[in-house]
Amino acid sequence: MFAMSSCKLLGIGGKGNTDTKTGAEYATDKDLLGYRPYNEQELPSPPGMVFVQGGRTVLGSYEQDLYGSRDNIERTVTVNSFFMDETEVTNSNWKTYVHHQFNPQDLPLPKNIEVMDPYDDENKPQPAPGSQIAVEPGPNPDLVFKADTTNKRGQNKSDLVPNDNVWESQFAFNSVYAKNYYSNPGFNNYPVVGVTWRQVEDYCKWRTDFVNLGLIMEIDIEDLPEDFRNKFFRVTQGEEFVLAQGNNNPSFGTPADPYDDSDLRGQQNNQPVVQNPQQAGIADEQFITIENFYQWQLLVVEYLNEEANETKFIEQGIYLPDFRLPNEAEWEYAAKATIGTVYLDENEEYGRIYPWDGRSTRNPYGKSRGEFLANFKRGRGDYGGIAGGVNNDGDVLPQEVGQKEANDFNLFNMAGNVSEWVYDTYRPLAFSEMEDMNPVRKSLGDTLDTSDPQSNYGWNSTMTNPNKVGVVRPTGQNNNYRSLVNDRAKVYKGGSWKDVAYWMAPGTRRFLDMDQATNTIGFRCAMISIGTSQLDRSNGLFGGK
């Protein structure tokens, strides 16, 4: 006999606990059978980013085509909502990235787990009871973390830091910036330059791992996916969680707990002193070295980088999407910020050449009237104006991020300061072949690229590595022809401190080889938006206001 009402069979009145199409009640923790969906998690806004509401827009250059390239003709497209870094990635941000290629992340741990401080007297060899000998000064050498000279991908520090040689010139006194621009703390909040497209891709991948690992460790361990919990944590006699070695890593420490380094916590007469012995199981308190904590983090990241494992966290709503380079359409849409020109619903009052209103590069309003709205080259030999002038932009080189007025998406320096890498591979006719929703131009290689392959420009590639440039294609009379356009040519947008105003128009575009760097190109990251409930959620340095 059915005890369920007709309304419940129709999925009405279930208050979120019933499947609306079958009428089946969702299972609870106590139910043996049934399906229980994960609750919608309110993911935190990605750090340093602001929300960019998507919509219909007209992409393309509104400026005169000085080079006659006709490579960005106006067309209407739709760009979905996404997050974007409020400012360009800075030298300080890049230093954080380099540091954590060789050092562990500071993660929240349960109170019963202690990472041992090598400078703490309790963690140093202890003299015998009653002895007048003091504890030896300095750290416990067994606990001091010794960073590797290479990261897990075999890269050393010189492979990761920006190329300082981008400042060198035979005919300019700029070598001082080669020594100082990245290294000197006085430039910490300036946009990082001298980085290649490929290096930037690595940064985005690391940032994804770093932020998500921190997010995961802030969640109650009981709420983490079961497979992950069983692999990387163990339950003690007192039903506390301690770190487990995971992935069959060779054990160290005591057999009862491979991560228990309590025998290093203090010694008396060269004999281990175990703080909380548990003869029949795992101690409730765990003491681990910095090295062991670092190795544990590497194993966790390796686990998360497997697609099947990553999916488990995505399904529970506890994993942020990838940080990545914005594609060209996203960048151009965000830079123009025509949301500031909308009135009466969907009517745009006017278009924009730059990320601000009007054709001028000066502020026409209020107390800042007459001041330049971007850091750019004003004319031949004029990078900053005359000293002491109120309209002097004040910066001959890149300036500290966030100093100019933000655009209507609350994004800073979308024109001037430094140009920025985007994801797209350059093709002069890309605008004519891309889709009209979330358009992007990928690097596909000759076999998959059926529209405009790099072989049209005198190059061949192999599908085993589509980014590897091959030999010049035999083309009869054009046998000596080879263009700079190939699958390694990546687009960069926006004018820099070294460019005239023409290049500050978001519709202009240029390209450079993915393994080359200059002192004018930096970058910022983007991320897709999950759902549509994030319209007012921003987490930028300046509050997204």
Side-chain angles (χ1 to χ4, degrees):
M1 179 175 180
F2 284 102
M4 186 182 296
S5 69
S6 59
C7 284
K8 203 162 190 181
L9 281 171
L10 293 173
I12 301 171
K15 296 182 179 179
N17 297 321
T18 305
D19 182 86
T20 59
K21 302 304 181 186
T22 65
E25 289 189 5
Y26 291 138
T28 64
D29 290 333
K30 299 180 180 180
D31 289 334
L32 181 62
L33 302 176
Y35 168 69
R36 182 188 180 194
Y38 292 109
N39 294 326
E40 266 189 57
Q41 298 286 340
E42 187 173 333
L43 285 170
S45 294
M49 290 190 159
V50 296
F51 180 77
V52 178
Q53 184 181 359
R56 184 195 69 219
T57 187
V58 178
L59 298 183
S61 179
Y62 289 177
E63 274 281 34
Q64 181 181 359
D65 191 355
L66 296 182
Y67 288 87
S69 59
R70 298 184 61 80
D71 64 351
N72 202 16
I73 304 300
E74 296 175 23
R75 71 276 185 199
T76 301
V77 303
T78 294
V79 176
N80 202 5
S81 299
F82 60 98
F83 284 94
M84 191 178 225
D85 277 338
E86 186 179 32
T87 68
E88 297 133 343
V89 172
T90 66
N91 288 320
S92 180
N93 301 144
W94 195 269
K95 290 174 183 177
T96 301
Y97 157 66
V98 174
H99 173 82
H100 285 290
Q101 294 296 302
F102 310 99
N103 294 274
Q105 188 172 342
D106 185 11
L107 296 173
L109 289 170
K111 293 181 179 179
N112 59 303
I113 302 175
E114 179 183 331
V115 179
M116 291 184 287
D117 181 358
Y119 291 89
D120 190 336
D121 285 346
E122 291 186 8
N123 298 329
K124 299 177 184 178
Q126 303 293 315
S131 172
Q132 300 298 314
I133 301 175
V135 176
E136 294 185 8
N140 183 341
D142 293 325
L143 302 182
V144 173
F145 177 74
K146 301 176 181 65
D148 292 332
T149 56
T150 58
N151 64 9
K152 62 181 180 180
R153 295 191 302 275
Q155 298 169 306
N156 55 40
K157 186 176 180 180
S158 62
D159 298 322
L160 301 170
V161 297
N163 181 6
D164 290 329
N165 290 330
V166 297
W167 292 101
E168 296 285 358
S169 173
Q170 288 184 323
F171 303 104
F173 187 66
N174 291 333
S175 57
V176 290
Y177 302 116
K179 292 182 179 180
N180 287 279
Y181 183 79
Y182 173 72
S183 301
N184 196 309
F187 288 106
N188 273 352
N189 291 325
Y190 287 64
V192 66
V193 296
V195 290
T196 67
W197 186 92
R198 202 192 299 268
Q199 284 180 303
V200 169
E201 284 283 286
D202 287 343
Y203 174 91
C204 294
K205 180 66 180 68
W206 165 82
R207 186 176 175 185
T208 300
D209 293 337
F210 188 92
V211 173
N212 277 310
L213 182 56
L215 176 63
I216 288 169
M217 293 303 293
E218 290 179 355
I219 297 171
D220 290 339
I221 298 174
E222 295 92 338
D223 295 331
L224 296 174
E226 183 178 4
D227 176 70
F228 175 82
R229 192 172 63 241
N230 293 338
K231 186 177 288 289
F232 292 103
F233 294 93
R234 303 179 73 181
V235 181
T236 68
Q237 284 191 152
E239 298 186 350
E240 301 284 350
F241 284 101
V242 294
L243 304 185
Q245 58 194 77
N247 290 3
N248 298 317
N249 191 50
S251 64
F252 40 81
T254 60
D257 182 0
Y259 268 84
D260 186 358
D261 295 303
S262 57
D263 58 329
L264 298 176
R265 184 171 167 81
Q267 295 184 353
Q268 293 178 356
N269 298 327
N270 297 321
Q271 298 297 317
V273 176
V274 180
Q275 302 295 323
N276 293 286
Q278 295 277 357
Q279 300 299 325
I282 303 173
D284 286 339
E285 287 189 299
Q286 185 183 48
F287 304 92
I288 59 175
T289 64
I290 301 174
E291 172 65 30
N292 289 343
F293 191 32
Y294 178 54
Q295 295 301 325
W296 183 86
Q297 291 181 24
L298 293 179
L299 291 172
V300 171
V301 171
E302 181 182 343
Y303 172 91
L304 294 174
N305 284 338
E306 295 181 15
E307 186 175 350
N309 297 330
E310 181 187 46
T311 301
K312 297 172 186 175
F313 288 85
I314 293 174
E315 289 175 342
Q316 288 192 215
I318 53 177
Y319 200 83
L320 285 172
D322 291 343
F323 290 89
R324 56 179 175 80
L325 279 174
N327 59 54
E328 186 175 3
E330 288 175 329
W331 194 98
E332 191 172 329
Y333 173 76
K336 283 184 178 178
T338 52
I339 190 173
T341 70
V342 174
Y343 79 105
L344 295 178
D345 195 20
E346 293 192 28
N347 295 306
E348 290 184 355
E349 190 171 4
Y350 45 83
R352 278 180 170 169
I353 296 176
Y354 303 113
W356 52 81
D357 295 341
R359 301 188 63 88
S360 174
T361 56
R362 298 179 186 270
N363 192 335
Y365 306 114
K367 294 181 180 180
S368 300
R369 184 175 183 177
E371 294 182 4
F372 278 105
L373 291 164
N375 175 25
F376 66 104
K377 185 177 180 180
R378 295 163 50 169
R380 182 173 297 176
D382 185 359
Y383 290 85
I386 299 173
V390 293
N391 293 326
N392 178 5
D393 68 27
D395 293 280
V396 174
L397 300 176
Q399 67 178 174
E400 190 173 348
V401 300
Q403 297 305 300
K404 298 298 184 183
E405 188 174 339
N407 72 3
D408 287 312
F409 278 131
N410 298 309
L411 299 167
F412 291 85
N413 301 117
M414 294 300 285
N417 215 29
V418 294
S419 301
E420 299 178 15
W421 287 113
V422 295
Y423 175 77
D424 293 51
T425 299
Y426 179 81
R427 287 294 189 274
L429 300 177
F431 67 89
S432 65
E433 60 187 4
M434 291 188 293
E435 296 189 15
D436 60 2
M437 189 184 81
N438 296 329
V440 68
R441 217 305 173 175
K442 303 175 183 178
S443 176
L444 300 174
D446 284 349
T447 302
L448 296 179
D449 193 344
T450 59
S451 59
D452 193 13
Q454 64 178 359
S455 57
N456 289 348
Y457 303 89
W459 299 93
N460 287 331
S461 68
T462 61
M463 286 311 298
T464 55
N465 184 359
N467 292 325
K468 182 179 180 181
V469 174
V471 297
V472 178
R473 183 172 67 116
T475 55
Q477 293 181 348
N478 294 326
N479 192 44
N480 294 323
Y481 166 76
R482 181 164 59 189
S483 167
L484 294 175
V485 176
N486 53 49
D487 284 351
R488 294 170 54 92
K490 303 299 179 181
V491 177
Y492 64 95
K493 304 281 284 184
S496 74
W497 60 275
K498 206 173 184 180
D499 292 316
V500 294
Y502 171 81
W503 294 109
M504 293 197 298
T508 57
R509 59 200 305 254
R510 290 172 284 183
F511 65 93
L512 189 68
D513 185 272
M514 66 195 310
D515 285 325
Q516 291 184 354
T518 75
N519 59 11
T520 62
I521 303 178
F523 74 102
R524 71 181 76 209
C525 298
M527 175 190 290
I528 65 167
S529 171
I530 303 299
T532 58
S533 59
Q534 297 173 302
L535 297 183
D536 298 318
R537 297 179 58 196
S538 296
N539 195 11
L541 176 68
F542 301 92
K545 298 178 181 178

